[in-house]
Short mmCIF file of all heavy atoms in Angstrom, two decimals:
data_model
loop_
_atom_site.label_atom_id
_atom_site.label_comp_id
_atom_site.label_asym_id
_atom_site.label_seq_id
_atom_site.Cartn_x
_atom_site.Cartn_y
_atom_site.Cartn_z
N LEU Z 35 97.95 -43.41 -90.67
CA LEU Z 35 97.54 -44.14 -91.86
C LEU Z 35 96.06 -44.52 -91.81
O LEU Z 35 95.63 -45.43 -92.51
CB LEU Z 35 98.39 -45.41 -92.03
CG LEU Z 35 99.89 -45.19 -92.25
CD1 LEU Z 35 100.60 -46.52 -92.37
CD2 LEU Z 35 100.14 -44.33 -93.48
N SER Z 36 95.29 -43.79 -90.99
CA SER Z 36 93.87 -44.12 -90.89
C SER Z 36 93.13 -43.79 -92.17
O SER Z 36 92.11 -44.42 -92.47
CB SER Z 36 93.25 -43.37 -89.70
OG SER Z 36 93.38 -41.96 -89.88
N ARG Z 37 93.59 -42.83 -92.94
CA ARG Z 37 92.99 -42.52 -94.23
C ARG Z 37 93.64 -43.38 -95.31
O ARG Z 37 94.85 -43.57 -95.31
CB ARG Z 37 93.16 -41.04 -94.57
CG ARG Z 37 92.40 -40.09 -93.65
CD ARG Z 37 92.57 -38.66 -94.09
NE ARG Z 37 93.98 -38.25 -94.09
CZ ARG Z 37 94.71 -38.07 -95.18
NH1 ARG Z 37 94.18 -38.27 -96.37
NH2 ARG Z 37 95.97 -37.70 -95.09
N MET Z 38 92.85 -43.88 -96.24
CA MET Z 38 93.36 -44.77 -97.26
C MET Z 38 94.46 -44.10 -98.08
O MET Z 38 95.47 -44.71 -98.42
CB MET Z 38 92.23 -45.22 -98.19
CG MET Z 38 92.66 -46.22 -99.25
SD MET Z 38 91.29 -46.79 -100.30
CE MET Z 38 90.98 -45.32 -101.29
N SER Z 41 98.74 -43.64 -97.07
CA SER Z 41 99.83 -44.56 -97.38
C SER Z 41 100.44 -44.29 -98.74
O SER Z 41 101.57 -44.73 -99.02
CB SER Z 41 99.33 -46.01 -97.32
OG SER Z 41 98.29 -46.21 -98.27
N SER Z 99 90.76 -49.75 -104.19
CA SER Z 99 90.11 -50.00 -102.90
C SER Z 99 90.52 -51.35 -102.32
O SER Z 99 90.86 -51.45 -101.13
CB SER Z 99 88.59 -49.95 -103.07
OG SER Z 99 87.93 -50.23 -101.85
N THR Z 100 90.54 -52.39 -103.13
CA THR Z 100 90.84 -53.72 -102.61
C THR Z 100 92.31 -53.88 -102.26
O THR Z 100 92.65 -54.55 -101.27
CB THR Z 100 90.45 -54.79 -103.63
OG1 THR Z 100 90.98 -54.46 -104.92
CG2 THR Z 100 88.94 -54.92 -103.74
N MET Z 101 93.21 -53.27 -103.01
CA MET Z 101 94.63 -53.41 -102.70
C MET Z 101 95.01 -52.69 -101.42
O MET Z 101 95.86 -53.16 -100.65
CB MET Z 101 95.49 -52.90 -103.86
CG MET Z 101 95.48 -53.79 -105.09
SD MET Z 101 96.72 -53.30 -106.33
CE MET Z 101 98.24 -53.83 -105.53
N LEU Z 102 94.38 -51.54 -101.16
CA LEU Z 102 94.74 -50.76 -99.98
C LEU Z 102 93.93 -51.13 -98.75
O LEU Z 102 94.43 -51.06 -97.63
CB LEU Z 102 94.55 -49.27 -100.28
CG LEU Z 102 95.53 -48.66 -101.29
CD1 LEU Z 102 95.15 -47.22 -101.58
CD2 LEU Z 102 96.96 -48.74 -100.79
N ARG Z 103 92.67 -51.53 -98.95
CA ARG Z 103 91.80 -51.80 -97.81
C ARG Z 103 91.29 -53.24 -97.76
O ARG Z 103 90.68 -53.63 -96.77
CB ARG Z 103 90.62 -50.83 -97.82
CG ARG Z 103 90.97 -49.43 -97.31
CD ARG Z 103 91.35 -49.49 -95.84
NE ARG Z 103 91.55 -48.17 -95.27
CZ ARG Z 103 92.73 -47.67 -94.92
NH1 ARG Z 103 93.83 -48.37 -95.14
NH2 ARG Z 103 92.83 -46.47 -94.38
N GLY Z 104 91.50 -54.02 -98.79
CA GLY Z 104 91.06 -55.41 -98.78
C GLY Z 104 89.57 -55.59 -98.95
O GLY Z 104 89.07 -56.72 -98.81
N ASN Z 105 88.84 -54.52 -99.26
CA ASN Z 105 87.39 -54.59 -99.41
C ASN Z 105 86.93 -53.69 -100.54
O ASN Z 105 87.56 -52.66 -100.83
CB ASN Z 105 86.69 -54.18 -98.12
CG ASN Z 105 86.91 -55.16 -96.99
OD1 ASN Z 105 86.22 -56.16 -96.86
ND2 ASN Z 105 87.92 -54.88 -96.15
N TYR Z 107 83.33 -51.86 -101.73
CA TYR Z 107 81.97 -51.54 -101.33
C TYR Z 107 81.27 -50.75 -102.43
O TYR Z 107 81.87 -49.87 -103.05
CB TYR Z 107 81.94 -50.70 -100.05
CG TYR Z 107 82.69 -51.30 -98.88
CD1 TYR Z 107 83.97 -50.83 -98.54
CD2 TYR Z 107 82.13 -52.30 -98.10
CE1 TYR Z 107 84.65 -51.34 -97.45
CE2 TYR Z 107 82.82 -52.83 -97.01
CZ TYR Z 107 84.08 -52.35 -96.70
OH TYR Z 107 84.75 -52.87 -95.63
N PRO Z 128 86.15 -46.77 -99.07
CA PRO Z 128 86.13 -47.77 -98.00
C PRO Z 128 86.20 -47.17 -96.60
O PRO Z 128 85.71 -47.78 -95.64
CB PRO Z 128 87.35 -48.65 -98.30
CG PRO Z 128 88.22 -47.82 -99.17
CD PRO Z 128 87.30 -46.95 -99.97
N ASP Z 129 86.82 -45.99 -96.46
CA ASP Z 129 86.90 -45.38 -95.14
C ASP Z 129 85.57 -44.79 -94.69
O ASP Z 129 85.41 -44.44 -93.51
CB ASP Z 129 87.96 -44.27 -95.13
CG ASP Z 129 89.37 -44.82 -95.33
OD1 ASP Z 129 89.53 -46.05 -95.25
OD2 ASP Z 129 90.29 -44.03 -95.58
N VAL Z 160 88.82 -59.29 -100.28
CA VAL Z 160 90.01 -60.10 -100.51
C VAL Z 160 90.70 -60.25 -99.15
O VAL Z 160 90.36 -59.56 -98.19
CB VAL Z 160 90.96 -59.48 -101.55
CG1 VAL Z 160 90.30 -59.41 -102.91
CG2 VAL Z 160 91.39 -58.08 -101.12
N TYR Z 161 91.65 -61.15 -99.05
CA TYR Z 161 92.32 -61.47 -97.78
C TYR Z 161 91.29 -61.84 -96.71
O TYR Z 161 91.28 -61.27 -95.61
CB TYR Z 161 93.18 -60.30 -97.29
CG TYR Z 161 94.07 -59.69 -98.33
CD1 TYR Z 161 93.95 -58.35 -98.69
CD2 TYR Z 161 95.04 -60.45 -98.98
CE1 TYR Z 161 94.77 -57.78 -99.65
CE2 TYR Z 161 95.86 -59.89 -99.93
CZ TYR Z 161 95.72 -58.56 -100.27
OH TYR Z 161 96.53 -58.00 -101.22
N PRO Z 162 90.38 -62.78 -96.98
CA PRO Z 162 89.39 -63.14 -95.98
C PRO Z 162 90.00 -64.00 -94.87
O PRO Z 162 90.97 -64.72 -95.08
CB PRO Z 162 88.36 -63.94 -96.78
CG PRO Z 162 89.16 -64.56 -97.89
CD PRO Z 162 90.23 -63.56 -98.24
N THR Z 163 89.43 -63.89 -93.68
CA THR Z 163 89.83 -64.72 -92.55
C THR Z 163 88.56 -65.27 -91.89
O THR Z 163 87.50 -64.64 -91.95
CB THR Z 163 90.63 -63.92 -91.51
OG1 THR Z 163 89.84 -62.81 -91.08
CG2 THR Z 163 91.94 -63.42 -92.10
N ARG Z 166 85.38 -63.28 -89.85
CA ARG Z 166 85.37 -61.85 -90.15
C ARG Z 166 84.58 -61.59 -91.42
O ARG Z 166 84.76 -62.27 -92.42
CB ARG Z 166 86.78 -61.30 -90.31
CG ARG Z 166 87.59 -61.22 -89.03
CD ARG Z 166 89.00 -60.73 -89.32
NE ARG Z 166 88.98 -59.42 -89.96
CZ ARG Z 166 89.15 -58.27 -89.30
NH1 ARG Z 166 89.35 -58.28 -88.00
NH2 ARG Z 166 89.14 -57.13 -89.95
N GLN Z 168 84.64 -58.63 -93.07
CA GLN Z 168 85.47 -57.82 -93.95
C GLN Z 168 86.83 -58.47 -94.17
O GLN Z 168 87.33 -59.20 -93.31
CB GLN Z 168 85.65 -56.42 -93.35
CG GLN Z 168 84.35 -55.63 -93.23
CD GLN Z 168 84.53 -54.37 -92.41
OE1 GLN Z 168 84.81 -54.44 -91.21
NE2 GLN Z 168 84.38 -53.22 -93.04
N GLY Z 169 87.42 -58.18 -95.31
CA GLY Z 169 88.76 -58.65 -95.60
C GLY Z 169 89.79 -57.84 -94.84
O GLY Z 169 89.55 -56.71 -94.41
N LEU Z 170 90.96 -58.42 -94.67
CA LEU Z 170 92.04 -57.73 -93.97
C LEU Z 170 92.58 -56.58 -94.82
O LEU Z 170 92.62 -56.65 -96.05
CB LEU Z 170 93.17 -58.71 -93.64
CG LEU Z 170 92.82 -59.86 -92.69
CD1 LEU Z 170 94.01 -60.80 -92.57
CD2 LEU Z 170 92.42 -59.33 -91.33
N SER Z 171 93.02 -55.53 -94.15
CA SER Z 171 93.62 -54.39 -94.83
C SER Z 171 95.13 -54.52 -94.84
O SER Z 171 95.76 -54.54 -93.78
CB SER Z 171 93.22 -53.09 -94.13
OG SER Z 171 93.99 -52.00 -94.62
N PRO Z 172 95.77 -54.62 -96.02
CA PRO Z 172 97.24 -54.70 -96.06
C PRO Z 172 97.91 -53.48 -95.42
O PRO Z 172 98.96 -53.61 -94.79
CB PRO Z 172 97.54 -54.77 -97.56
CG PRO Z 172 96.29 -55.24 -98.19
CD PRO Z 172 95.18 -54.69 -97.36
N ILE Z 173 97.32 -52.31 -95.57
CA ILE Z 173 97.91 -51.10 -95.01
C ILE Z 173 97.88 -51.15 -93.49
O ILE Z 173 98.84 -50.77 -92.81
CB ILE Z 173 97.18 -49.85 -95.53
CG1 ILE Z 173 97.26 -49.80 -97.05
CG2 ILE Z 173 97.78 -48.60 -94.92
CD1 ILE Z 173 98.66 -49.82 -97.61
N ALA Z 174 96.78 -51.64 -92.91
CA ALA Z 174 96.69 -51.74 -91.47
C ALA Z 174 97.66 -52.78 -90.93
O ALA Z 174 98.29 -52.57 -89.88
CB ALA Z 174 95.26 -52.08 -91.05
N LEU Z 175 97.82 -53.89 -91.64
CA LEU Z 175 98.70 -54.95 -91.17
C LEU Z 175 100.17 -54.53 -91.25
O LEU Z 175 100.98 -54.91 -90.40
CB LEU Z 175 98.48 -56.21 -92.00
CG LEU Z 175 97.14 -56.94 -91.80
CD1 LEU Z 175 97.03 -58.10 -92.77
CD2 LEU Z 175 97.00 -57.44 -90.37
N GLN Z 176 100.53 -53.79 -92.27
CA GLN Z 176 101.93 -53.41 -92.49
C GLN Z 176 102.15 -51.93 -92.22
O GLN Z 176 103.01 -51.30 -92.83
CB GLN Z 176 102.33 -53.74 -93.94
CG GLN Z 176 102.03 -55.16 -94.36
CD GLN Z 176 102.76 -56.19 -93.53
OE1 GLN Z 176 103.84 -55.91 -93.01
NE2 GLN Z 176 102.20 -57.38 -93.40
N ALA Z 177 101.40 -51.38 -91.28
CA ALA Z 177 101.48 -49.94 -91.01
C ALA Z 177 102.87 -49.52 -90.54
O ALA Z 177 103.36 -48.44 -90.88
CB ALA Z 177 100.43 -49.55 -89.97
N ILE Z 180 105.28 -49.14 -93.60
CA ILE Z 180 104.94 -47.98 -94.42
C ILE Z 180 105.23 -46.69 -93.66
O ILE Z 180 105.78 -45.74 -94.22
CB ILE Z 180 103.47 -48.05 -94.85
CG1 ILE Z 180 103.23 -49.31 -95.69
CG2 ILE Z 180 103.07 -46.81 -95.63
CD1 ILE Z 180 101.77 -49.56 -96.02
N ILE Z 267 104.55 -56.18 -99.91
CA ILE Z 267 103.20 -56.26 -99.33
C ILE Z 267 102.21 -56.72 -100.39
O ILE Z 267 101.29 -57.50 -100.10
CB ILE Z 267 102.78 -54.90 -98.76
CG1 ILE Z 267 103.67 -54.51 -97.58
CG2 ILE Z 267 101.31 -54.90 -98.34
CD1 ILE Z 267 103.42 -53.10 -97.07
N PHE Z 268 102.40 -56.27 -101.61
CA PHE Z 268 101.41 -56.52 -102.66
C PHE Z 268 101.77 -57.72 -103.54
O PHE Z 268 100.99 -58.07 -104.43
CB PHE Z 268 101.25 -55.27 -103.52
CG PHE Z 268 100.83 -54.07 -102.72
CD1 PHE Z 268 101.73 -53.07 -102.40
CD2 PHE Z 268 99.54 -53.95 -102.25
CE1 PHE Z 268 101.35 -51.98 -101.65
CE2 PHE Z 268 99.14 -52.86 -101.51
CZ PHE Z 268 100.05 -51.87 -101.21
#
Side-chain angles (χ1 to χ4, degrees):
L35 297 179
S36 60
R37 294 182 301 106
M38 183 178 72
S41 60
S99 178
T100 49
M101 288 190 73
L102 291 175
R103 282 295 186 252
N105 293 276
Y107 306 101
D129 294 348
V160 296
Y161 313 120
T163 57
R166 290 177 58 98
Q168 296 169 295
L170 297 175
S171 169
I173 301 304
L175 291 175
Q176 308 299 332
I180 299 173
I267 295 173
F268 302 104

